[in-house]
Amino acid sequence: MAQQTAVDWLNDVLISKGIFFEYDILQEAKQMEMEKTIMDYNAGYDDAKCNHINDAENYANERKYINDKSSK
């Protein structure tokens, strides 16, 4: 069984609350998620070629995946 994506998870949660997206919006979100995954994979590949060590937490922070609570 394929792993559920964040977009699919959010869609399931919203459906359970009676909130529905139009099909086109859901597909656009899935396409954006796929493109971001490809960019992240390529960034990791490039880091490995350069012998650059970058831990996951720093990578996420650099790309603003995690909200910086200290700046609020």
Side-chain angles (χ1 to χ4, degrees):
M1 186 169 139
Q3 188 176 11
Q4 186 178 36
T5 67
V7 171
D8 289 329
W9 174 83
L10 180 59
N11 189 48
D12 290 349
V13 169
L14 293 175
I15 286 173
S16 73
K17 297 182 182 297
I19 301 169
F20 300 90
F21 285 112
E22 291 183 25
Y23 181 77
D24 293 347
I25 293 171
L26 183 60
Q27 293 305 342
E28 185 177 349
K30 287 182 179 186
Q31 180 67 30
M32 291 169 65
E33 185 174 32
M34 183 181 75
E35 290 170 3
K36 186 64 181 153
T37 299
I38 291 169
M39 287 173 42
D40 291 344
Y41 176 88
N42 288 335
Y45 180 78
D46 289 343
D47 280 351
K49 287 191 315 188
C50 299
N51 293 325
H52 179 257
I53 298 172
N54 192 1
D55 70 6
E57 188 174 341
N58 285 337
Y59 182 79
N61 287 334
E62 289 170 1
R63 284 159 183 74
K64 306 293 184 201
Y65 288 137
I66 301 170
N67 291 331
D68 183 9
K69 295 178 182 174
S70 64
S71 65
K72 290 182 181 180

